Amino acid sequence: ERFPESLTSDQSPSEKSAGVVVMKKLTGKSCFVPVGSALTGRIRLNGCSVLTENLYAVNSTRKNHSTRRRSAARCVPLATAVPVESVSDASAGNAGNRPLRLGVLLLNLGGPERQADVEGFLYNLFSDPDIIRLPPLLTPLQGFLANEIARSRAPKSRAAYESIGGGSPIVRITNQQADALETELKARGVESKVFVGMRYWHPFTEEALEQIQQYEPTKLVILPLYPQYSISTSGSSLRVLDKRFRENTAAWSPLKIDHTVVSEWYQRPGYLQAQADLILEQIATLTDEERKSLKVMFSAHGVPESYIEAGDPYQKQIENCCALIMDRVGSDVEWVLSYQSRVGPVQWLQPYTDTVLEELGASGLKNLVVVPISFVSEHIETLEEIDIEYRELAHESGIEKFLRVPALDCNPAFIKDVADMSLEALEKPSLRVGEAINLNQSPADEDPDVPVKFGFNQNAETLNGRIAMLTLAALAAGQFLTGPGAFQLFSLLR
């Protein structure tokens, strides 16, 4: 909202409107911005998008996603709040006037802890538009598609979870990480409480938000447990938060609970060193002779290539992260990066982990150290996919020693670094949930900047990169309308 140019910093805010702050424009002129609801949104001033939550501005005139992310780092303070009677009266008990009472929200994927939970978990996973991103005309099919995929994949998934004890340990381990982090923060004299919010199974993010409101922190640090940002992981979890915050702006206003997001942290020295130390521990178990035929393989969770084309920074962050870790391991150790866990007929990031294992075996490699780089806790992709499926494939391919680096879990060095990260976030300009989403990705309902034509054409394929999924959904709809058989169509996704 624009306010009249005649309103200048020389005039008392109370004379013009109760409860306002004075903000300098980039032109040197001044305008008035209302506090309250405006503090949770954005305004436009001379081509700049102004975060009225914390009075920081970023240039958002460029359309290129990577440029928008780079410019986001150049935040500059524009102004500070001008105390007025109506504001100070209304905010006497708000976050800014209370001693620090820190809340930390750890966001993670979640997983079924019992066999009976598997199909429901899969439904939640595949009904997420950040996992299966259908074109707008087919979004009404999202629930139907998710239900059929969940039904078709449930038997295989149940068998996989049964092989690792019957369920996913991710909730248990994430709770242990939360307890360890809370203990570390309190040992540093910080009044704090750490909460866990899962995206696709209990405890859901909404459950964590209820607990946070009961705790009433003055500061809330939101920390996705994904070191590298992706639309399908951190982005999806942050979307849930953004939706809930918008539904109840009064409860989540920065005037009440001042929050900030740490959207990516793959470059942190403590995290990198913890990973490097775990790799070195595995290498130390090999003899000098065995090290002559050694390679480190990072196995990252894959994402569809169309996500990267749409501006997802995940691939570059993964590549940079691996290089930074290996700088600490030593230049004498060769390494390779691969991607696992692909689903469906669309093109995913390559090289695929199973293909790399076969190639390494064919090359005569005998010893391999495998690092699950996308994960900070053990779960189905590490315990079953890597430890069982890939281990068996490696041995079949001629690799004799298959050493897997454990996930960080409650590694003391890692927990200390997360505590450092949480406290350091308080010293930086706040990054709100909506801003974290906008700075790292294009929204799910915003297509990449390519021409759009109706029908199946080259531009449409460039737009979404998911023509195979579109065709599958259309066929499923036809089968659903004309008779039985839709279930068999989704066997393609097993």
Side-chain angles (χ1 to χ4, degrees):
E1 182 176 356
R2 286 192 178 278
F3 284 75
E5 295 290 341
S6 59
L7 297 180
T8 67
S9 56
D10 297 328
Q11 295 168 295
S12 169
S14 59
E15 295 176 0
K16 300 299 179 183
S17 176
V20 297
V21 293
V22 179
M23 183 179 293
K24 271 282 194 182
K25 291 184 181 178
L26 297 182
T27 59
K29 298 178 182 179
S30 300
C31 70
F32 288 85
V33 181
V35 297
S37 60
L39 288 174
T40 62
R42 303 167 65 92
I43 61 170
R44 302 283 301 179
L45 294 178
N46 290 356
C48 287
S49 180
V50 180
L51 311 189
T52 56
E53 296 169 326
N54 54 8
L55 306 184
Y56 278 75
V58 298
N59 188 333
S60 65
T61 59
R62 300 182 179 91
K63 293 184 178 179
N64 181 273
H65 298 296
S66 60
T67 303
R68 180 166 50 188
R69 288 194 299 272
R70 287 195 298 271
S71 67
R74 300 192 291 271
C75 294
V76 292
L78 296 180
T80 55
V82 175
V84 290
E85 183 177 359
S86 58
V87 174
S88 56
D89 289 345
S91 60
N94 69 32
N97 297 328
R98 289 186 285 154
L100 176 62
R101 183 177 171 87
L102 177 62
V104 180
L105 174 58
L106 302 181
L107 300 175
N108 212 334
L109 183 80
E113 297 183 274
R114 305 173 302 153
Q115 291 282 295
D117 300 335
V118 171
E119 189 168 330
F121 166 76
L122 292 176
Y123 174 81
N124 291 337
L125 178 69
F126 290 111
S127 61
D128 181 359
D130 284 318
I131 299 298
I132 296 182
R133 309 185 77 189
L134 298 177
L137 289 176
L138 293 180
T139 52
L141 290 173
Q142 188 89 43
F144 168 71
L145 183 63
N147 185 63
E148 294 301 323
I149 296 175
R151 288 173 55 195
S152 67
R153 291 183 61 85
K156 182 178 179 180
S157 294
R158 288 193 186 97
Y161 282 111
E162 185 63 32
S163 70
I164 63 170
S168 173
I170 193 170
V171 174
R172 171 177 55 81
I173 294 172
T174 307
N175 282 329
Q176 291 172 349
Q177 291 171 324
D179 291 341
L181 175 59
E182 187 173 312
T183 298
E184 176 67 23
L185 290 170
K186 289 180 176 178
R188 301 185 188 191
V190 180
E191 182 182 359
S192 57
K193 189 170 181 59
V194 182
F195 306 87
V196 170
M198 297 295 183
R199 178 63 180 89
Y200 302 114
W201 205 246
H202 301 282
F204 289 113
T205 303
E206 292 83 353
E207 298 173 51
L209 292 181
E210 291 179 2
Q211 297 172 0
I212 291 170
Q213 286 184 294
Q214 294 174 3
Y215 178 66
E216 295 184 336
T218 58
K219 299 283 186 178
L220 176 64
V221 175
I222 299 169
L223 181 61
L225 286 178
Y226 309 103
Q228 306 84 17
Y229 187 99
S230 174
I231 292 170
S232 58
T233 53
S234 302
S236 180
S237 292
L238 291 176
R239 283 189 188 284
V240 173
L241 282 177
D242 189 49
K243 180 180 179 181
R244 300 308 174 199
F245 286 2
R246 290 176 184 274
E247 289 174 348
N248 192 349
T249 55
W252 297 105
S253 165
L255 292 174
K256 188 168 186 180
I257 300 178
D258 187 16
H259 79 267
T260 189
V261 178
V262 182
S263 59
E264 60 200 46
W265 41 275
Y266 67 92
Q267 74 279 46
R268 289 192 59 84
Y271 162 74
L272 295 171
Q273 192 60 53
Q275 287 282 22
D277 290 343
L278 291 174
I279 294 172
L280 290 169
E281 287 177 10
Q282 294 299 317
I283 294 177
T285 65
L286 300 172
T287 65
D288 291 340
E289 187 65 25
E290 289 172 328
R291 294 182 195 179
K292 294 178 180 179
S293 183
L294 166 68
K295 187 164 285 189
V296 171
M297 182 182 77
F298 292 92
S299 187
H301 199 292
V303 299
E305 287 184 351
S306 60
Y307 288 28
I308 307 303
E309 295 168 359
D312 194 331
Y314 178 73
Q315 183 180 17
K316 288 185 178 180
Q317 292 186 7
I318 283 286
E319 292 171 352
N320 291 340
C321 180
C322 294
L324 290 170
I325 291 172
M326 292 308 295
D327 285 344
R328 288 162 170 74
V329 172
S331 58
D332 57 327
V333 181
E334 295 184 0
W335 62 278
V336 63
L337 169 62
S338 63
Y339 297 90
Q340 65 179 86
S341 307
R342 67 185 185 275
V343 176
V346 297
Q347 196 81 344
W348 285 55
L349 286 180
Q350 298 187 49
Y352 300 136
T353 297
D354 50 2
T355 302
V356 170
L357 288 172
E358 292 172 345
E359 292 174 348
L360 291 176
S363 71
L365 185 78
K366 297 303 178 184
N367 305 292
L368 183 67
V369 175
V370 181
V371 187
I373 189 58
S374 304
F375 317 102
V376 297
S377 58
E378 303 288 2
H379 61 305
I380 190 74
E381 280 86 357
T382 61
L383 299 175
E384 195 276 335
E385 192 171 6
I386 294 179
D387 286 355
I388 298 176
E389 294 182 29
Y390 291 152
R391 184 185 299 275
E392 181 179 349
L393 177 59
H395 291 322
E396 291 175 353
S397 301
I399 298 172
E400 296 176 357
K401 281 198 173 182
F402 183 94
L403 305 175
R404 206 265 286 176
V405 172
L408 289 168
D409 287 355
C410 292
N411 178 287
F414 170 60
I415 296 299
K416 288 181 179 179
D417 194 49
V418 176
D420 291 341
M421 190 188 330
S422 302
L423 296 178
E424 290 169 13
L426 303 179
E427 305 300 321
K428 301 176 181 178
S430 296
L431 179 65
R432 308 303 183 194
V433 169
E435 287 303 310
I437 295 171
N438 291 336
L439 296 176
N440 285 284
Q441 68 187 72
S442 58
D445 57 353
E446 178 184 300
D447 294 317
D449 296 327
V450 297
V452 180
K453 294 181 180 179
F454 184 79
F456 295 98
N457 54 71
Q458 185 175 359
N459 285 330
E461 291 177 3
T462 303
L463 177 65
N464 55 56
R466 300 181 300 278
I467 191 67
M469 185 63 74
L470 186 153
T471 304
L472 178 63
L475 287 172
Q479 289 287 328
F480 180 71
L481 293 173
T482 60
F487 178 84
Q488 284 78 4
L489 288 172
F490 293 94
S491 63
L492 294 171
L493 297 182
R494 291 182 179 180

